[in-house]
Amino acid sequence: MATTTTDTSDAHPYLRAATAGIRHHTRALTPSTRTDRRHLDNLHEHLTRLHLLLDQLADAVRPEHPAAGRHLATAHLRLWQAATSLHDAFHTLPTAPACTLDRLPDGPLVLTICQRHLASGHAIRRKTTPADHGPA
């Protein structure tokens, strides 16, 4: 039986840092913490980037380990569903004063999250929808 050792010094430092950041924010949330659009936007960005990472991992694993690739593809789909739900929740929250154009240097959050969501959706459809090869 082979054992696998993981060298955490250089495995995936950015992913570990992002996970630590989420862990920190999760612990910092209290029942009185108000959820606003900026929180949902940040979480949506994290999920869409994780979604792209899983897509790359599934592509890399699938040729040698098809079963593992299928599991990663399922996780990929579930993350997309979670990102879609976050996008929907974002739009159901009332607009906060911080969401006004003059207070956001990058523009309104509604455009940022929608553009990101549309770009991710386009990438998914392009990859998962069979191409029309025209008449045979």
Side-chain angles (χ1 to χ4, degrees), residues 42-63:
N42 290 337
L43 190 53
H44 183 270
E45 182 178 11
H46 188 76
L47 281 181
T48 54
R49 291 185 188 273
L50 190 55
H51 180 260
L52 292 173
L53 176 62
L54 267 178
D55 186 37
Q56 292 173 353
L57 288 172
D59 284 347
V61 167
R62 194 174 290 119

Side-chain angles (χ1 to χ4, degrees), residues 35-97:
T35 301
D36 61 8
R37 285 182 159 194
R38 186 161 306 274
H39 285 111
L40 295 182
D41 180 56
N42 290 337
L43 190 53
H44 183 270
E45 182 178 11
H46 188 76
L47 281 181
T48 54
R49 291 185 188 273
L50 190 55
H51 180 260
L52 292 173
L53 176 62
L54 267 178
D55 186 37
Q56 292 173 353
L57 288 172
D59 284 347
V61 167
R62 194 174 290 119
E64 292 183 34
H65 306 285
R70 283 190 300 274
H71 285 295
L72 288 173
T74 300
H76 178 258
L77 173 66
R78 298 288 193 268
L79 272 178
W80 174 248
Q81 291 169 336
T84 298
S85 294
L86 272 172
H87 179 252
D88 295 344
F90 176 91
H91 285 293
T92 60
L93 284 178
T95 303

